[in-house]
Amino acid sequence: MRRISCIITFLFMTAFILMCAGCTEKEEAVVDVTKTPAASLPVNTPEAQTDNGYSISTVTIFFPEGTSDADAEYQLTYSIPVFPESALNDAINRFVEELTARVTEERMPLADRAGSAAIPYTLVEFEVRKASNPAGSYTNILFTETASYDGSDSETVITTLVLDALGSECGLAKISGVYAPDALVAQQVWNIIALDPGNYYGDLALEDIVAVLDLYNGFTVAEEGYTVYVRPGKLADQSLEFSFARSALYPEFVGDILDAEEYESLLPAINATATACAPNYDGFVGTPSDAVATAFLRTLLLGNAPVSTISWDDYTACAARHFGDISITKGAAGADPGTEIAGDNVNLTAAETAYGLQCEDATIENGTLSIVGVLMYGKPGSSNTGVIGPAAITLEQAGDGWHITAFEIR
């Protein structure tokens, strides 16, 4: 089976949405660090320039303070990319702060350098991967962290940052548009494991896979899909990578009722309709009210931007493209709280709260497409999301596109 059923998906989705945001954080070993010596001043290697739009900074720190490679008890060396955009660097600097704290509090106290043996160490290298998909453009940064407590035997883990065009760190929920992707991703991993179970631990259950996923700092996005990384000792002795197409996270009807490309093209309008209707439970059948239509246009035309300006002609053309024969006056548009009419232009400002329709099933008959799902509060991946209740959207084929003819909150 390509993915679990809609019912199982909904149960997992609801459970994960109601969890607190901190549920994905891993428990850290309790170590007495009250007597941990301070580190020596960092030794910075001059930045190496690249042809990829960033330079490389390498830093080495010896522990404790005042030591060098000859007598240090521990060594941290990390390389990081340095971008022209400060927002990207801010996210990387937060990773460095967490890395330094982890070495100081967890690894340094457990290090054991005997005599002239090699220095116990943590070595961090990186790789940058750019990717674009219908949701946007992203910068993936993979940090490969190799650690040794005795200077010889080592373990390697991968930590990732996925940053959008504004430099904001993204989780898989935000990029995929799925409110609780954990169960769906776990099913994809389960399917891959089932192809060759001898390479993994025995008696694994789906819940075991969900428990080891890190869909914030343990995945990357590519044009065609996603890769998740699982640390050694979780599902097998070694580090693991599992890759799957982004359509693997789509509802079961995608591929049957609609192809993936058409579904992706409809999602922005579906979620804009949910955002327009949900605040006042203002559903419609036929032509939407001015309040719904203008809130829809503001949400759709803004996309992920907080503010934007569009011409009046483009504004009304967008209304006709999605609702057919609809007439919106400047007076009606200007009454929308986030819409300002300025001559022949329309200034748009995003609403504080967004909504979405988590699509579950669909039918199509005589050119009428009906999609049912769950009306959700907040955007996928935001810190505050919740289930409102069942809802459905109806669309009619119109040439090469679709007109929205109804949105019902049930």
Side-chain angles (χ1 to χ4, degrees), residues 340-362:
E340 178 189 27
I341 307 301
D344 291 330
N345 290 323
V346 183
N347 299 323
L348 303 172
T349 302
E352 292 184 4
T353 303
Y355 300 80
L357 181 67
Q358 188 67 68
C359 302
E360 292 189 337
D361 200 4

Side-chain angles (χ1 to χ4, degrees), residues 224-290:
E224 65 280 1
Y226 311 102
T227 298
V228 295
Y229 302 86
V230 178
R231 298 192 171 194
K234 301 298 184 180
L235 303 178
D237 291 338
Q238 68 274 19
S239 297
L240 300 170
E241 299 180 15
F242 300 92
S243 298
F244 48 90
R246 64 175 183 268
S247 59
L249 303 185
Y250 292 160
E252 296 248 355
F253 67 80
V254 177
D256 297 328
I257 303 299
L258 298 171
D259 61 32
E261 184 177 351
E262 192 166 23
Y263 176 71
E264 290 168 346
S265 70
L266 287 176
L267 274 179
I270 291 172
N271 289 325
T273 307
T275 295
C277 293
N280 298 312
Y281 283 73
D282 193 7
F284 66 92
V285 176
T287 302
S289 66
D290 287 341

